[in-house]
């Protein structure tokens, strides 16, 4: 870059300043991995299920009801999820259709209603 130096003598009117290479590295937080899995629809409705829940430990949010369905994101311990009463029954377990926001990204999918993993608030 060039810097103008004001001087009473014309010889020093402009000086070339030694070029400095400035290296900057931006460390961005890793973006959550986004699944391209199609989100299934819930099969049932029970208004008593509606409400806020907290995860107990880490819990997968899935694209469909059941352990074999694609994972969308791992919800950390104590994550709040909201259910509006929709669910799907798989092998005797209700899989809640929920919504949550993690690191500014809103996800919608299924998680088990098993009380080992989820506590209603």
């Amino acid at each position: 870059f060039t810097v103008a130096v004001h001087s009473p003598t014309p010889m020093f009117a402009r000086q070339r300043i030694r070029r400095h290479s400035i290296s900057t590295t931006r460390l961005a937080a890793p973006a959550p991995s986004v699944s391209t899995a199609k989100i299934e629809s819930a099969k049932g409705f029970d208004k008593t299920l509606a409400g806020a829940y907290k995860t107990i430990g880490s819990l997968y949010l899935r694209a469909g009801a059941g352990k074999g369905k694609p994972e969308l994101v791992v919800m950390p311990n104590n994550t709040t999820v909201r259910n509006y009463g929709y669910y799907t029954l798989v092998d005797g377990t209700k899989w809640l259709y929920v919504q949550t926001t993690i690191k500014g990204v809103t996800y919608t999918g299924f998680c088990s209603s098993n009380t080992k993993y989820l506590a209603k608030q």
Side-chain angles (χ1 to χ4, degrees):
F1 56 89
T2 302
V3 176
V5 177
H6 299 285
S7 171
T9 60
M11 187 170 110
F12 298 107
R14 290 198 90 133
Q15 288 185 335
R16 194 118 177 115
I17 304 297
R18 190 176 85 209
R19 290 184 184 255
H20 293 280
S21 174
I22 299 172
S23 174
T24 59
T25 304
R26 275 187 98 163
L27 297 176
S33 63
V34 177
S35 173
T36 57
K38 185 177 189 295
I39 309 301
E40 294 180 6
S41 298
K43 307 288 187 228
F45 178 80
D46 178 350
K47 68 180 179 179
T48 65
L49 295 174
Y53 294 78
K54 290 268 188 185
T55 60
I56 301 169
S58 297
L59 180 62
Y60 284 112
L61 184 67
R62 298 181 179 274
K67 287 192 260 183
K69 300 298 178 169
E71 300 139 4
L72 300 174
V73 68
V74 175
M75 298 181 290
N77 181 43
N78 213 30
T79 299
T80 299
V81 299
R82 167 118 353 235
N83 174 270
Y84 297 94
Y86 296 95
Y87 72 96
T88 296
L89 191 63
V90 175
D91 297 328
T93 299
K94 288 181 181 176
W95 284 75
L96 303 181
Y97 186 69
V98 299
Q99 191 169 62
T100 189
T101 301
I102 301 170
K103 296 183 181 177
V105 178
T106 299
Y107 297 92
T108 301
F110 288 85
C111 63
S112 172
S113 66
N114 188 317
T115 56
K116 290 190 308 188
Y117 310 117
L118 219 50
K120 192 166 186 181
Q121 301 299 289

